[in-house]
Amino acid sequence: MKTLQQAWQRARRRRAAITVLLGLPWALAAAALALRLSGFDIACVVATVALLLIAAVATTRARQLDRRWLQRRLDASGASEDSADLLFADVAALNPLQQRQRTHVLAALERNLPELRPRWPRRAVALCWIGGIAVAGLALGWPHNAAPRTAALATPQSDAKAGPLRLQSTRLHIDAPAYTGQPTRTQNALDAKVAADSRLSWSLRFDRAPSKAWLQFHDGRRLPLREHDGEWQAQDVARTPLLYRVVSEPALADTRLHRLDVVADRAPTVRVIDPAASLVLGSPGQRQWALRFEASDDHGVLPQATLSITTTQGSGENITFVRRSVTLNGSGEATARRFAHTLDLAALGAQPGNDVIAQLEVRDNHAPTAQVGRSSSVILRLPSTEAVLGAELEGRIKKTLPAYFRSQRQIIIDAEALIRERRAVAADTFVKRSDAIGVDQRILRLRYGQFLGEESEGAPKPPPTSDLPTSDTPAADTHDDEREHDHEVQAGAHDEHGHDHGGAASGSDTPPVFGSAADVLSEYGHTHDHAEAATLLDPQTRATLKAALDQMWSAEGELRQGRPEQALPFAYKALAFIKQVQQAERIYLARVGPELPPIDEGRRLSGDRAGLASRALPLAARTPPDPAVVEAWQRLGDEDGTPDLDLLAAWQQRNSAFLPDALDLAAAIEQLRIEPGCTECRQRLRAQLWRALQRPLPQVMRRSAADAMGQRYLDALEAQP
């Protein structure tokens, strides 16, 4: 059964192929006749319709070889023994005799299957192809000089009766430059958007031959059309955007403008992917620097790029530059390639304190001269040895310095947190942490005490003796040692400032000289800036700050003894006093008026303006718009006004680089030139001129005139003596 199905399908395909071979020559002849009589566009339509018709007829004729045809063909050949209908019947519905006969017929067909395909009509196919080729040859090869002769012998009256020329077909062939990678294309529309330096070929066909024809561009240039085999052709290279129209003698019926936009090839752009910043601070001991770039272009970037590397050495005025270049191979698509490279700083000779500057330069595939694109420079600044040491010292300071800037509120928070953790912390650890908070309280007290001229711990009253830890207290010796150490640090800080706080502080055993001003000041006072600043505080503010220091002293004593619960009331009172001090007016400054130069009474009312300069701000001169353009815009607003279109066209060509859309303005001018009475064209040109004119500067609104009542009020004011 499978063999029979395959033979049946081959018969159908043979019938379809015969139909196509018989119809193709006549479709070719019809297309040739349409090309000769009506042009290329009509010929394409006729050829498409003919091919579709042939395909439909071939399909219909192939489907005519259906099952009934197959049964008749098998019965006529005698191979089925007049039982071909049993082959396509339902086996379950057949009786045993019919099933046996069906099996016998299938076996016979497997052994000897008759030829089902129709024979090739060789004579008919040959005659059709000979006739079709003859008709096409006559249509295309018939002489073309009969029409020009007839037109040449025609009289002017016959030309006038024939009417204007008409375009039967148009074809624009665009061959883009090879570097763009765009395929060559052909279109029927005369408006196009092409790449720069594309080769354009026009092929036009008129309903009758003109005496001459050309392409008229909006800049005044003409491109003549030359006749060849009934088609008028011209070639040009697209370099700038243009507007043009087809002109002939006699004139064409359709004189509309066509726009030719030229897309210039952009230079490649390079983006730095890694590093993210243009200035990168290197780490100490850095050996490598990874760089990644991405280059993009509208038509493609060359696979190789140049990485420029500049290394600066030295400092100050003795800086030298060492430049190197490395060739990189990109990866990815041609329109977006990526370049990666890792610099070996040791191989470049980069030392601490040097700068390494990198910049990538790529080229596109523009011909004949490639365009160049460069990335922004990225700089790797390697830290010097001094900077590394300073950074390490700064890091150490940052780890310990925040402890010296604890606020009173933070001390309260730390004490409350320690109280909550009493049960989870060992007794010794609890006392040590409380003592550390007390040290922070002491440092904060000394900072505030500087505003009162206090630099030692002797100013506030010490806590009661009974509250001090006894000798059997575990942390007693530790507290005394820390107090002595803190006092030594404080004294050392004063010595670093160049102060000498008496003989005891300096370690000298020489007693001070009685009556010496320097020794008296050294013994009983000091010249520290904070003492001088304390005199700027009013008495009430000084008293409040003194009370805050007393409360800090009490809180410090309790914390140093491991009793944060008793220290909290004093800490809260100290915080309240500090808030009062912050809100008080603490500094009194003398109110000094402006020191104006004395008035020269001799120049008053004299009218002498020597040495006086005008205070008026200089105004930048604004270039006024071209009066001819303004006049043309005004005339276009009048129904009877006629602007000078030649003057407008010349102005448009001179200022095409500054106009928002120079081609739209040129199109509006040419359209009004073609149709002078078109109201819509006038409004369109007027709108384009308004866009091209500079906007007037905003002016101050003039006050409206007074009405009758207001005028009477003004007159009454003037009439009063």
Side-chain angles (χ1 to χ4, degrees):
M1 191 67 177
K2 183 178 180 181
T3 305
L4 180 61
Q5 291 287 346
Q6 293 177 352
W8 184 17
Q9 294 300 326
R10 286 196 297 268
R12 283 188 165 188
R13 288 194 292 269
R14 176 69 64 84
R15 173 68 70 86
I18 292 173
T19 306
V20 171
L21 287 177
L22 292 175
L24 277 179
W26 303 113
L28 178 62
L33 287 173
L35 180 63
R36 178 60 185 270
L37 298 177
S38 302
F40 180 78
D41 297 339
I42 302 300
C44 292
V45 173
V46 171
T48 303
V49 172
L51 292 176
L52 292 176
L53 182 60
I54 292 173
V57 173
T59 304
T60 302
R61 286 177 57 81
R63 289 179 178 178
Q64 289 178 356
L65 304 183
D66 53 2
R67 185 182 299 176
R68 296 180 58 186
W69 172 85
L70 181 60
Q71 293 177 8
R72 291 195 303 268
R73 185 64 181 271
L74 292 175
D75 291 341
S77 64
S80 63
E81 299 178 359
D82 294 335
S83 301
D85 55 339
L86 298 177
L87 300 176
F88 303 98
D90 188 7
V91 179
L94 299 177
N95 55 38
L97 182 60
Q98 291 175 334
Q99 293 180 3
R100 184 174 181 179
Q101 178 64 17
R102 182 177 182 276
T103 305
H104 174 71
V105 172
L106 286 175
L109 291 177
E110 289 291 339
R111 292 191 304 268
N112 186 17
L113 183 64
E115 180 63 39
L116 300 179
R117 294 179 298 179
R119 292 183 297 179
W120 288 100
R122 303 178 184 276
R123 182 177 297 179
V125 172
L127 292 176
C128 288
W129 278 96
I130 292 173
I133 293 175
V135 173
L138 291 174
L140 298 178
W142 195 263
H144 290 271
N145 55 356
R149 289 179 182 176
T150 306
L153 295 176
T155 60
Q157 290 81 5
S158 62
D159 289 338
K161 293 179 181 179
L165 287 175
R166 297 185 182 276
L167 282 172
Q168 287 186 344
S169 63
T170 58
R171 185 172 56 193
L172 178 59
H173 183 79
I174 304 170
D175 187 8
Y179 71 86
T180 62
Q182 299 178 0
T184 301
R185 70 179 192 270
T186 301
Q187 62 182 34
N188 296 329
L190 296 181
D191 298 280
K193 187 175 184 180
V194 301
D197 299 330
S198 296
R199 298 193 64 84
L200 307 177
S201 299
W202 288 268
S203 180
L204 311 177
R205 187 180 291 273
F206 301 92
D207 58 351
R208 66 180 187 275
S211 59
K212 61 179 179 179
W214 65 91
L215 299 179
Q216 181 68 50
F217 296 97
H218 77 282
D219 56 359
R221 186 168 60 94
R222 285 188 177 188
L223 183 62
L225 293 168
R226 303 185 183 280
E227 192 270 338
H228 178 71
D229 292 339
E231 293 185 349
W232 293 76
Q233 301 175 354
Q235 291 80 29
D236 196 12
V237 178
R239 292 186 174 87
T240 57
L242 294 170
L243 290 172
Y244 71 97
R245 55 193 176 96
V246 181
V247 182
S248 65
E249 291 182 1
L252 277 172
D254 185 9
T255 57
R256 66 187 184 92
L257 288 170
H258 304 283
R259 181 164 180 160
L260 187 64
D261 289 312
V262 178
V263 181
D265 183 21
R266 299 192 303 268
T269 58
V270 186
R271 181 172 63 93
V272 181
I273 300 178
D274 191 15
S278 59
L279 177 60
V280 181
L281 298 179
S283 57
Q286 183 174 351
R287 306 282 296 178
Q288 294 181 339
W289 188 27
L291 301 173
R292 286 196 305 157
F293 304 88
E294 183 182 44
S296 59
D297 188 71
D298 46 1
H299 297 304
V301 181
L302 294 180
Q304 291 186 343
T306 302
L307 180 64
S308 300
I309 306 168
T310 304
T311 306
T312 63
Q313 298 177 354
S315 61
E317 298 180 355
N318 299 323
I319 296 180
T320 59
F321 298 90
V322 179
R323 292 181 174 84
R324 299 178 179 87
S325 297
V326 179
T327 302
L328 304 182
N329 293 321
S331 61
E333 300 179 356
T335 56
R337 294 188 187 273
R338 291 204 171 191
F339 300 87
H341 187 67
T342 301
L343 295 179
D344 188 353
L345 301 181
L348 294 176
Q351 302 294 331
N354 297 160
D355 290 349
V356 180
I357 307 170
Q359 186 182 38
L360 186 69
E361 179 180 301
V362 299
R363 298 176 182 272
D364 62 3
N365 52 9
H366 185 274
T369 304
Q371 300 182 97
V372 180
R374 297 179 179 85
S375 69
S376 58
S377 297
V378 288
I379 305 173
L380 174 64
R381 181 158 295 169
L382 299 176
S384 60
T385 306
E386 294 80 3
V388 172
L389 295 177
E392 292 179 355
L393 179 61
E394 182 181 359
R396 294 192 183 97
I397 292 175
K398 286 183 178 179
K399 293 179 181 179
T400 59
L401 195 59
Y404 293 95
F405 289 94
R406 296 283 185 94
S407 64
Q408 186 65 27
R409 189 181 301 275
Q410 185 63 41
I411 292 174
I412 294 173
I413 294 174
D414 293 344
E416 292 177 346
L418 181 62
I419 294 172
R420 290 193 298 269
E421 298 176 1
R422 175 187 289 274
R423 296 182 179 180
V425 179
D428 296 343
T429 305
F430 182 83
V431 173
K432 290 181 180 179
R433 291 178 58 182
S434 177
D435 180 68
I437 300 175
V439 173
D440 295 338
Q441 180 68 83
R442 173 182 175 277
I443 295 172
L444 183 63
R445 176 177 59 80
L446 292 178
R447 286 176 55 202
Y448 280 103
Q450 293 175 356
F451 291 99
L452 295 179
E454 300 174 358
E455 294 187 359
S456 64
E457 299 182 23
K461 295 180 179 180
T465 309
S466 59
D467 295 335
L468 294 175
T470 59
S471 59
D472 55 352
T473 303
D477 297 335
T478 305
H479 300 332
D480 295 339
D481 294 340
E482 289 179 357
R483 290 175 181 272
E484 183 178 357
H485 173 69
D486 293 338
H487 183 71
E488 292 174 0
V489 171
Q490 186 72 16
H494 300 323
D495 294 340
E496 290 177 359
H497 287 290
H499 300 303
D500 187 3
H501 296 275
S506 61
S508 175
D509 296 332
T510 304
V513 180
F514 181 79
S516 175
D519 292 333
V520 171
L521 183 61
S522 173
E523 180 72 15
Y524 300 101
H526 51 76
T527 58
H528 204 280
D529 293 340
H530 296 293
E532 297 177 1
T535 60
L536 299 177
L537 300 178
D538 61 287
Q540 183 179 358
T541 303
R542 288 175 57 84
T544 305
L545 185 58
K546 181 70 166 54
L549 294 178
D550 292 341
Q551 298 297 326
M552 290 183 184
W553 175 265
S554 301
E556 176 190 347
E558 299 294 341
L559 289 170
R560 299 294 295 265
Q561 298 177 70
R563 298 196 295 267
E565 295 90 348
Q566 289 80 359
L568 281 179
F570 301 108
Y572 275 113
K573 291 180 181 179
L575 178 62
F577 286 130
I578 291 174
K579 291 298 181 183
Q580 294 180 15
V581 173
Q582 291 177 353
Q583 298 173 1
E585 298 178 356
R586 297 180 293 276
I587 298 177
Y588 290 89
L589 297 177
R591 295 183 177 272
V592 181
E595 298 181 0
L596 300 177
I599 300 176
D600 186 3
E601 298 292 343
R603 296 184 58 186
R604 297 191 66 183
L605 304 178
S606 64
D608 184 10
R609 300 181 59 84
L612 298 180
S614 176
R615 295 188 179 184
L617 296 177
L619 298 178
R622 186 171 182 268
T623 304
D626 194 340
V629 180
V630 177
E631 182 182 0
W633 180 81
Q634 293 174 350
R635 287 188 177 183
L636 288 171
D638 301 335
E639 296 182 358
D640 299 334
T642 303
D644 190 349
L645 298 181
D646 295 334
L647 182 61
L648 280 180
W651 178 83
Q652 182 270 337
Q653 293 178 14
R654 290 195 307 269
N655 300 273
S656 58
F658 309 102
L659 296 176
D661 196 338
L663 286 186
D664 280 351
L665 179 58
I669 295 173
E670 294 298 324
Q671 193 64 32
L672 185 60
R673 192 193 305 273
I674 297 172
E675 304 177 25
C678 178
T679 305
E680 183 179 354
C681 301
R682 294 173 63 90
Q683 295 300 326
R684 179 186 174 190
L685 177 56
R686 196 166 189 262
Q688 293 293 334
L689 286 178
W690 176 253
R691 293 179 58 193
L693 291 174
Q694 295 180 356
R695 298 294 182 269
L697 294 177
Q699 302 292 333
V700 179
M701 297 295 294
R702 184 179 295 275
R703 181 181 298 176
S704 58
D707 54 3
M709 182 179 296
Q711 189 63 38
R712 289 197 300 272
Y713 176 75
L714 295 177
D715 295 342
L717 289 178
E718 294 179 357
Q720 290 182 359

